[in-house]
């Protein structure tokens, strides 16, 4: 029966292959949309772990999250160092990491911070950052830089290399700080999170490049561009041992603070305290809440994409029904011959359903191949641009479920022509007249 | 055992005003060939449909291989048909995208009975039948059926009807698309093969020039009282 169906389909291979192509595209699209969504969610969820609160100049919580954790966009105007110290001294705060932003290294975001970042930052469900080579910010001064795994891999960086950053966050930059180079002290091990795409420099180094800029930078949207003219601590950076307690260099303004609490249940209290602090207009963002908010925004687009994917699947199914139905009239003779040699109407019914099953199964397989190829091609791009990975993992239960649903839909759709054939063969009998 | 025995068959198409078939008696012995002639539209094809069990016939009227066709129903009738009857139609006998050999083997795929009787090697039997019907060229046997000439197609159909030695072959004007020389040759081959296999042949045609090649010939109008 299967062999016979295959031969019959082979006889109509052009139309059959178009049908298979239509189904496979819909399969690839449906699974692709799901994977993209999962990949995005995973990479976002993995990128920030263990941070209880992100404090930044007052602004939209999603924007703050995107800017600080993912290096996409920027926060509002800078917050003062006093506010950072106030936060750090709060009794419920276990640790606080200062963050400066606004520069890029060949398109990758540059983060100014201190050694506590590497100590407290967690990704992918609680894993600490580790080094693939070199060291974190060591005592060797303000020009130390730690690069993420992907940055290092893309440009072939190793500890000891000298890099130059540029102002702004775009990939094309005219304002290159080539007078303030950094020396790479360490390369991070791959994390699969946003840190892979980041370059970390010391707070002091971050300030130097802006202090040395001749003219005040006039980008009002970019807090890091604020001329930092009060750098009285610079001449003493020989003893800048970075420890958690003392932040060596104290910049005037920073862009955000990652906060870890001793007891997480105090998070709402601290959030309120931050929001009500009169001297500085600040926002305290709960990463999980901001993420949920982000998904709320993205949800509409996701639903639209999913709807599209299923619409394509529906079109593929209709195409198959059209193909099977359109050939029925020319195949009447064929069915009559089959009946004359002993095929029952039920067998002929089964023949049509088998053909549909073969088409759908071929569509599923081709769809998976298409998806794998597409993943293979786009994964490096997505991971470079957005730090997200689609992954080539074996299909999860949900994907298998989706495939099963499509397969059943194919069989169900084939009942339309199959029932017609059943009736037709009963009515036609063995007459071969047309 | 009679391959075919008809007694007091009355058949009327559903909704028809009068009976299409009223046949007193007709029977065929094993290996016997019968030429049944008559003008178009006199009910010859209806008789073949009735024998093949495609239309509902009253019980006890038609026996094929001593089994009452009217008593078998549904899918069992399809299986019964292929077990005992080989059929040859006027034109378009073959599945166009199967090769000649595969077309010949079709009854063996649907009937265990025919497969068993086709011998240990049905494919060999199919090839032998094809070569006996002057289709010995191997390139012909493997060609898709729609690339064969009409005469070749009819011979492939004959081989298919013959494989597995059914009790009865029903041939419904199989020569109407052939030219004079091919007609005679075809009938000659068919009757010879049927006689060798011990298969009874009921050959229906309006072309009386073929009459002499059969054991017996009957005018359908004499047989079917309703046609009178």
């Amino acid at each position: 029966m299967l062999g016979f169906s295959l031969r019959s389909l082979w006889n109509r291979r052009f139309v059959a292959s178009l049908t298979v192509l239509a189904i496979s595209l819909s399969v690839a699209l449906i699974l692709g949309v799901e994977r993209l969504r999962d990949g995005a969610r995973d990479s976002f969820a993995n990128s920030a772990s263990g941070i209880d609160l992100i404090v930044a100049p007052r602004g939209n919580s999603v924007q703050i999250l995107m800017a600080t954790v993912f290096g996409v966009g920027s926060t509002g105007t800078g917050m003062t160092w006093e506010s950072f110290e106030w936060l750090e001294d709060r009794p419920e705060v276990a640790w606080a990491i200062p963050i400066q932003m606004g520069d890029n290294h060949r398109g990758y975001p540059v983060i100014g911070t201190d050694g506590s970042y590497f100590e407290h930052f967690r990704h992918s469900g609680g894993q600490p950052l580790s080094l693939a080579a070199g060291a974190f910010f060591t005592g060797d001064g303000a020009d130390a830089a730690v690069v993420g795994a992907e940055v290092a891999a893309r440009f072939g960086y190793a500890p000891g290399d000298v890099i130059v950053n540029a102002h702004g966050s775009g990939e094309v930059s005219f304002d290159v700080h080539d007078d303030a180079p950094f020396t790479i002290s360490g390369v991070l091990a791959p994390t699969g999170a946003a840190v892979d795409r980041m370059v970390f420099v010391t707070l002091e180094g971050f300030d130097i490049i802006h202090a040395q800029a001749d003219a005040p930078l006039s980008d009002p949207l970019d807090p890091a561009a604020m001329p930092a003219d009060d750098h009285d601590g610079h001449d003493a950076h020989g003893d800048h041992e970075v420890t958690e307690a003392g932040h060596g260099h104290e910049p005037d303004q920073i862009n955000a603070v990652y906060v870890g609490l001793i007891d997480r249940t105090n998070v709402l209290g601290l959030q309120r305290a931050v929001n009500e602090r009169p001297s500085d207009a600040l926002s305290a963002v709960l990463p999980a809440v901001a993420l949920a908010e982000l998904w709320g925004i993205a949800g509409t687009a996701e639903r639209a994409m999913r709807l599209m994917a299923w619409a394509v699947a529906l079109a593929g199914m209709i195409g198959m029904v059209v193909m099977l139905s359109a050939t029925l009239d020319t195949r009447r003779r064929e069915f009559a011959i089959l009946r004359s040699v002993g095929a029952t109407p039920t067998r002929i019914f089964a023949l049509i359903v088998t053909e549909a099953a073969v088409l759908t199964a071929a569509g599923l397989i081709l769809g998976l191949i298409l998806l794998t190829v597409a993943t293979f091609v786009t994964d490096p791009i997505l991971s470079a641009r957005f730090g997200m990975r689609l992954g080539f993992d074996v299909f999860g239960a949900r994907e298998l479920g989706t495939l099963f649903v499509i397969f059943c839909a194919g069989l169900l759709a084939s009942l339309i022509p199959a029932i017609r054939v059943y009736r037709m063969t009963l009515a036609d009998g063995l007459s071969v007249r047309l | 055992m009679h391959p075919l025995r008809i007694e007091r068959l009355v058949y009327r198409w559903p909704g028809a005003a009068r009976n299409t078939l009223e046949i007193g008696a007709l029977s065929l012995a094993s290996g016997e060939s019968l030429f049944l002639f008559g003008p178009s539209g006199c009910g010859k094809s209806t008789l073949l449909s009735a024998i093949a069990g495609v239309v509902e016939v009253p019980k006890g009227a038609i026996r094929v291989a001593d089994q009452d066709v009217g008593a078998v129903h549904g899918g069992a009738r399809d299986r019964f048909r292929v077990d005992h009857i080989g059929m040859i139609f006027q034109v378009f006998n073959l599945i166009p995208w199967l090769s000649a050999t595969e077309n010949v083997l079709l009854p063996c795929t649907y009937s265990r009975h025919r497969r068993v009787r086709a011998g240990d090697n049905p494919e060999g039997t199919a090839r032998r039948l094809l070569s006996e019907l002057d289709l010995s060229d191997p390139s012909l046997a493997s060609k898709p059926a729609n690339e064969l000439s009409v005469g070749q197609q009819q011979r492939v159909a004959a081989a298919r009807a013959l494989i597995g030695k059914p009790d009865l072959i029903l041939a419904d004007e199989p020569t109407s698309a052939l030219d004079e020389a091919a007609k005679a040759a075809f009938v000659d081959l068919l009757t010879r093969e049927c006689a060798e296999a011990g298969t009874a042949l009921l050959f229906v045609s309006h072309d009386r020039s073929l009459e002499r090649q059969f054991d017996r010939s009957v005018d359908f109008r004499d047989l079917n009282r309703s046609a009178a």
Side-chain angles (χ1 to χ4, degrees):
Chain A
M1 175 66 87
L2 185 63
F4 198 82
S5 304
L6 288 175
R7 293 289 302 273
S8 160
L9 286 173
W10 180 248
N11 181 47
R12 290 166 288 137
R13 53 192 170 275
F14 178 70
V15 188
S17 53
L18 285 182
T19 308
V20 167
L21 193 67
I23 296 172
S24 68
L25 282 178
S26 63
V27 169
L29 209 59
I30 288 172
L31 293 186
V33 166
E34 291 295 313
R35 283 198 181 182
L36 213 58
R37 172 178 172 275
D38 289 352
R41 294 205 166 193
D42 284 353
S43 79
F44 275 72
N46 283 342
S47 288
S49 147
I51 301 169
D52 294 318
L53 214 52
I54 301 170
V55 177
R58 186 149 296 168
N60 176 280
S61 57
V62 171
Q63 192 190 352
I64 290 170
L65 180 81
M66 293 297 288
T68 54
V69 176
F70 306 106
V72 178
S74 59
T75 61
T77 45
M79 64 188 272
T80 61
W81 186 254
E82 284 72 38
S83 294
F84 173 75
E85 285 180 328
W86 168 79
L87 258 176
E88 203 182 18
D89 292 341
R90 296 275 302 189
E92 60 266 59
V93 171
W95 45 263
I97 307 169
I99 304 285
Q100 281 181 306
M101 293 176 303
D103 277 358
N104 77 82
H105 175 70
R106 295 163 89 167
Y108 290 97
V110 173
I111 307 286
T113 185
D114 62 24
S116 61
Y117 190 100
F118 306 112
E119 197 177 326
H120 296 297
F121 185 85
R122 296 288 182 274
H123 67 90
S124 311
Q127 295 179 51
L129 292 172
S130 60
L131 284 164
F136 292 126
F137 300 157
T138 45
D140 60 358
D143 67 339
V146 172
V147 296
E150 194 182 302
V151 178
R154 173 138 177 218
F155 302 118
Y157 289 153
D161 288 353
V162 173
I163 60 171
V164 163
N165 297 336
H167 178 66
S169 54
E171 201 150 345
V172 178
S173 220
F174 300 103
D175 185 12
V176 176
H177 302 299
D178 46 6
D179 45 355
F182 290 89
T183 306
I184 294 173
S185 69
V187 174
L188 293 176
T191 62
V195 289
D196 285 356
R197 307 172 43 249
M198 290 178 173
V199 173
F200 299 93
V201 299
T202 61
L203 292 172
E204 188 178 359
F206 199 91
D207 272 352
I208 290 173
I209 53 182
H210 296 109
Q212 288 173 347
D214 291 331
L217 299 164
S218 55
D219 182 357
L221 295 175
D222 195 338
M226 305 274 270
D229 42 14
D230 185 15
H231 288 285
D232 45 349
H234 279 179
D235 44 352
H237 55 79
D239 48 26
H240 276 176
E241 288 295 337
V242 178
T243 61
E244 194 187 349
H247 288 279
H249 174 76
E250 293 183 359
D252 254 15
Q253 296 215 307
I254 58 174
N255 294 88
V257 183
Y258 287 169
V259 179
L261 298 184
I262 297 166
D263 180 0
R264 277 197 177 186
T265 53
N266 294 326
V267 72
L268 292 176
L270 181 63
Q271 187 184 27
R272 193 177 317 118
V274 170
N275 286 339
E276 286 169 0
R277 185 168 150 79
S279 62
D280 225 350
L282 298 176
S283 289
V285 176
L286 287 150
V289 174
L291 213 52
E293 209 174 302
L294 178 64
W295 296 141
I297 299 164
T300 312
E302 273 177 25
R303 273 192 294 280
M305 268 172 86
R306 210 184 293 170
L307 205 66
M308 288 268 285
W310 282 101
V312 173
L314 184 68
M317 289 298 156
I318 292 173
M320 184 173 77
V321 172
V322 167
M323 176 224 167
L324 289 173
S325 302
T327 51
L328 288 189
D329 278 328
T330 53
R331 293 177 77 193
R332 278 175 102 132
R333 182 193 304 155
E334 198 179 308
F335 299 138
I337 295 164
L338 288 175
R339 283 206 72 197
S340 80
V341 296
T344 59
T346 317
R347 287 276 301 241
I348 291 167
F349 177 88
L351 176 72
I352 300 294
V353 176
T354 310
E355 286 184 6
V358 169
L359 288 175
T360 315
L364 292 181
I365 292 165
L366 186 65
L368 293 179
I369 293 171
L370 280 180
L371 180 65
T372 309
V373 170
T375 309
F376 192 73
V377 171
T378 56
D379 194 56
I381 301 167
L382 285 175
S383 99
R385 287 273 171 100
F386 308 108
M388 63 184 266
R389 299 199 178 277
L390 293 178
F392 298 91
D393 4 319
V394 210
F395 310 107
R398 204 182 57 194
E399 291 197 329
L400 286 176
T402 306
L403 294 180
F404 183 73
V405 165
I406 297 171
F407 187 73
C408 288
L411 289 189
L412 217 60
S414 77
L415 292 183
I416 301 167
I419 289 169
R420 265 188 70 201
V421 163
Y422 186 83
R423 292 210 179 126
M424 217 154 74
T425 49
L426 278 181
D428 285 2
L430 305 184
S431 72
V432 208
R433 290 181 296 268
L434 282 175
Chain B
M1 197 273 285
H2 280 280
L4 174 67
R5 193 159 65 189
I6 299 174
E7 280 171 342
R8 289 186 298 279
L9 168 67
V10 177
Y11 180 76
R12 183 191 296 215
W13 282 104
R18 60 192 202 98
N19 292 338
T20 314
L21 298 174
E22 278 176 35
I23 292 170
L26 175 71
S27 68
L28 274 171
S30 291
E32 187 186 14
S33 62
L34 173 67
F35 184 74
L36 191 62
F37 62 91
S40 305
C42 66
K44 301 188 301 272
S45 293
T46 308
L47 175 63
L48 293 186
S49 293
I51 297 170
V54 180
V55 297
E56 292 295 329
V57 290
K59 278 187 187 169
I62 302 175
R63 292 177 173 273
V64 170
D66 290 342
Q67 207 167 338
D68 187 353
V69 174
V72 193
H73 293 281
R77 195 183 274 175
D78 289 292
R79 283 187 291 275
F80 171 76
R81 178 191 315 124
V82 67
D83 280 350
H84 300 286
I85 301 174
M87 303 189 77
I88 310 170
F89 301 106
Q90 213 166 336
V91 278
F92 309 130
N93 270 289
L94 309 178
I95 304 286
W97 37 271
L98 289 178
S99 73
T101 316
E102 286 165 325
N103 265 292
V104 173
L105 285 167
L106 277 176
C108 297
T109 62
Y110 292 105
S111 164
R112 219 178 72 83
H113 185 74
R114 295 277 289 273
R115 188 165 59 241
V116 168
R117 287 171 59 156
D120 295 337
N121 177 11
E123 276 179 49
T125 310
R127 274 196 296 275
R128 184 183 56 76
L129 279 169
L130 284 173
S131 72
E132 280 170 16
L133 291 163
D134 286 345
L135 291 167
S136 51
D137 188 346
S139 73
L140 281 178
S142 56
K143 250 188 200 174
N146 57 4
E147 290 175 22
L148 301 174
S149 74
V150 179
Q152 288 167 335
Q153 287 188 28
Q154 291 305 81
R155 277 177 280 153
V156 173
R160 183 176 66 201
L162 282 160
I163 197 164
K165 298 189 175 110
D167 301 290
L168 176 66
I169 286 181
L170 302 177
D172 188 1
E173 308 225 24
T175 55
S176 62
L178 305 180
D179 59 43
E180 290 304 318
K183 264 182 203 174
F186 177 81
V187 173
D188 192 44
L189 286 168
L190 182 62
T191 49
R192 196 185 68 211
E193 290 296 324
C194 284
E196 257 174 49
T199 297
L201 172 65
L202 178 56
F203 192 103
V204 169
S205 178
H206 63 273
D207 181 0
R208 292 192 66 176
S209 66
L210 302 166
E211 194 175 342
R212 282 170 294 104
Q213 291 172 274
F214 293 84
D215 297 337
R216 199 151 64 93
S217 79
V218 171
D219 186 335
F220 192 73
R221 285 160 296 188
D222 295 339
L223 184 72
N224 188 11
R225 280 168 301 197
S226 82

